Amino acid sequence: SFSYTITANNTPTSFAATGLPAGLSVNTTSGLISGTPTAAGTKSVTISAINAGGTGTKTLTLTVKLLPPLITSAATAAATVGQSFSYTITANNTPTSFAATGLPAGLSVNTTSGLISGTPTAAGTKSVTISAINTAGTGTKTLTLTVNIPSVVPAFLFSTNAGKITITGSNPKASGNLVIPATINNLPVTSIGNFAFSGSTGLKSVTLPSSVISVRAGAFSGCTELTNITIPNSVTSIGASAFADCSGLTSVTIPNKVTEIADYVFGRCSKLTTVTIPNSVTSIRDEAFYGCTGLKSLTIPSSVSSIRSWAFEDCTSLTNVTFMGNAPTVGSEVFAGTSATIYYIQGKTGWSTTFADRPTATFIPPAAPIVPPGSPMSVTVAATVADADIDPVTFSKAKATPANLAAQSTVNTIQPAAITINYDVAQNKFVVRVQGDANQEGVIEYTDNFQSWTALPTKVVGIADLTQIDPQATNKTHRFYRVFKQ
């Protein structure tokens, strides 16, 4: 924007200006010339001041300078492999040419019009530098251009039995994000058939409808790019090798009506890091999680009574398996090729110093301490361990108020390490301290759900205040800890 005020003596009553550049105008009462010029150049403008005695004039030489372009087009764009794409670079300040560097394969830029167009040939995200140029300089901007794999909506192949649909495949093979329909020809889709989508290497995600009750053997095996699968709780059975060799799959939640985790069902899902097993599962069969090299920790619910051979063989990152119930029966080499420690609840039956050829340790199931209203509370909890090299201690921190505290206090001290929880009534919170060996470093791990344990970065020697070591704990309704000798 531009402004210039005509001033004159002898009390002018009005003003005028002729020959102004395009985009500017004059206020004849105040003499203000203002606006936004639209073109560069130099103009000889005649400005005037008028009163009853006549008109005074002057020539104003007004030069409009050109600024470098400012790009106004969007900073993001999306394209699809194999489909035509276009995007136009736009800018102010009269650009005379355009440029773009870092374009995905298959796209090019028209340097006169600024049009980026073509048909991309590969998926991915590119940071493209787009430019607009005039005689004053160059304006640039980063365009984030994402090229997606096309989602193929295939013609589903299916069979019908007793008024129910089993999907047996698709033509062509499904890719991208696949949503299975709940009905076909007004009949419910209740099953995904044997090897229905096996080898669909372009498949990224799958969503199953709540009408499906079974996913059969090998249904999605070898879908190497599959990263997400939504399995509804309506599913009661998942067949052998159903997701085998889905090397991109990172997490899975098994529905709460499934009772058996079948043979090799997640075999060689090498990026699988999170598995949620419900209390409905009673059996984990042969090689169910064989070669899941990304799996670090796992919680086995108390409902599981049988784990078959090689179920977790070659899960090379697996270090922590927590059992919530009695010891199940096991086949051979269940944890072969792992460095897992088996944790079980003190008081549960069938456990010994080893389980399936792996060392065991106990933990005490945590319970919120209870104290008289208005009174401080001190509780020390610890656990005995057969292996002298490891000394875990598990306890819980819980929030409480004097109104819901009753008269009870428990003290159960076992050396050499202990954890003390003192309830500070004035601050209405627990103050947590670790009492360990004065000459021995300890490592503290925590979990909020027993699915996985995380080590706190600060090691402790002697007494340490956990409210400082783990400040996030004050934001939790519960948190469980254990302490190991370093």
Side-chain angles (χ1 to χ4, degrees):
S1 63
F2 169 81
S3 66
Y4 172 94
T5 301
I6 305 170
T7 59
N9 55 17
N10 297 326
T11 317
T13 55
S14 63
F15 301 88
T18 57
L20 286 170
L24 301 183
S25 61
V26 63
N27 184 311
T28 58
T29 301
S30 65
L32 176 66
I33 297 172
S34 62
T36 302
T38 59
T42 299
K43 291 278 192 176
S44 294
V45 181
T46 299
I47 55 176
S48 304
I50 304 149
N51 65 11
T55 300
T57 62
K58 189 176 183 178
T59 299
L60 169 67
T61 302
L62 204 165
T63 301
V64 178
K65 293 182 177 180
L66 186 65
L67 296 176
L70 179 65
I71 294 175
T72 56
S73 49
T76 60
T80 302
V81 172
Q83 298 180 15
S84 61
F85 168 81
S86 66
Y87 169 98
T88 300
I89 306 169
T90 59
N92 57 20
N93 298 328
T94 319
T96 55
S97 63
F98 301 89
T101 58
L103 286 170
L107 300 184
S108 60
V109 62
N110 184 313
T111 57
T112 301
S113 66
L115 176 66
I116 297 172
S117 62
T119 301
T121 58
T125 298
K126 292 278 191 177
S127 293
V128 179
T129 300
I130 54 176
S131 306
I133 305 142
N134 65 15
T135 56
T138 301
T140 63
K141 188 174 187 177
T142 298
L143 168 66
T144 302
L145 205 166
T146 301
V147 181
N148 298 305
I149 293 176
S151 294
V152 176
V153 181
F156 289 108
L157 308 176
F158 59 91
S159 61
T160 305
N161 184 27
K164 298 177 181 179
I165 297 290
T166 294
I167 292 182
T168 58
S170 64
N171 186 20
K173 281 190 174 183
S175 64
N177 303 315
L178 180 66
V179 178
I180 302 294
T183 61
I184 293 178
N185 296 338
N186 295 320
L187 296 177
V189 174
T190 61
S191 180
I192 309 300
N194 295 336
F195 303 97
F197 297 97
S198 179
S200 296
T201 54
L203 201 54
K204 293 289 187 181
S205 71
V206 175
T207 301
L208 302 180
S210 58
S211 59
V212 171
I213 60 174
S214 69
V215 178
R216 296 183 182 174
F220 295 97
S221 60
C223 295
T224 54
E225 297 299 315
L226 182 64
T227 59
N228 181 60
I229 174 72
T230 301
I231 309 174
N233 281 329
S234 58
V235 171
T236 61
S237 67
I238 301 174
S241 302
F243 297 97
D245 297 301
C246 290
S247 53
L249 194 62
T250 58
S251 66
V252 66
T253 297
I254 297 170
N256 58 21
K257 293 180 181 178
V258 171
T259 60
E260 178 181 88
I261 300 178
D263 297 342
Y264 205 69
V265 65
F266 297 106
R268 283 202 292 259
C269 291
S270 56
K271 291 184 180 178
L272 190 63
T273 58
T274 304
V275 177
T276 302
I277 302 175
N279 277 318
S280 58
V281 171
T282 61
S283 174
I284 301 174
R285 294 186 61 85
D286 297 341
E287 299 182 308
F289 295 94
Y290 174 85
C292 291
T293 55
L295 195 60
K296 296 181 179 180
S297 64
L298 188 69
T299 297
I300 307 294
S302 59
S303 57
V304 173
S305 59
S306 171
I307 302 178
R308 300 285 293 271
S309 298
W310 316 292
F312 298 96
E313 184 178 4
D314 285 347
C315 293
T316 53
S317 298
L318 188 61
T319 59
N320 182 327
V321 183
T322 301
F323 284 81
M324 304 306 292
N326 298 330
T329 61
V330 291
S332 60
E333 299 184 321
V334 169
F335 296 105
T338 79
S339 56
T341 297
I342 308 301
Y343 296 95
Y344 65 92
I345 295 176
Q346 185 172 311
K348 296 296 183 179
T349 63
W351 298 101
S352 65
T353 56
T354 62
F355 176 78
D357 298 322
R358 297 305 308 160
T360 63
T362 61
F363 69 89
I364 299 172
I370 308 173
V371 298
S375 301
M377 178 272 298
S378 178
V379 176
T380 304
V381 291
T384 57
V385 179
D387 186 348
D389 294 331
I390 188 171
D391 183 21
V393 181
T394 304
F395 73 98
S396 70
K397 184 276 299 183
K399 292 182 179 179
T401 62
N404 63 17
L405 300 176
Q408 181 178 340
S409 181
T410 303
V411 177
N412 177 21
T413 303
I414 302 174
Q415 292 301 325
I419 294 176
T420 302
I421 313 173
N422 292 320
Y423 182 70
D424 187 323
V425 176
Q427 299 183 61
N428 192 28
K429 69 178 184 179
F430 289 103
V431 177
V432 187
R433 289 182 176 85
V434 177
Q435 173 68 63
D437 189 326
N439 300 311
Q440 177 70 59
E441 254 191 354
V443 176
I444 303 174
E445 293 184 345
Y446 71 84
T447 183
D448 296 327
N449 54 16
F450 286 107
Q451 297 296 317
S452 61
W453 292 85
T454 302
L456 293 171
T458 304
K459 296 181 176 64
V460 297
V461 177
I463 298 176
D465 190 342
L466 266 176
T467 57
Q468 297 176 0
I469 295 173
D470 185 17
Q472 293 184 8
T474 57
N475 300 321
K476 301 290 183 179
T477 58
H478 64 275
R479 175 159 278 190
F480 310 110
Y481 298 84
R482 62 186 182 210
V483 177
F484 295 92
K485 285 184 179 180
Q486 177 70 4

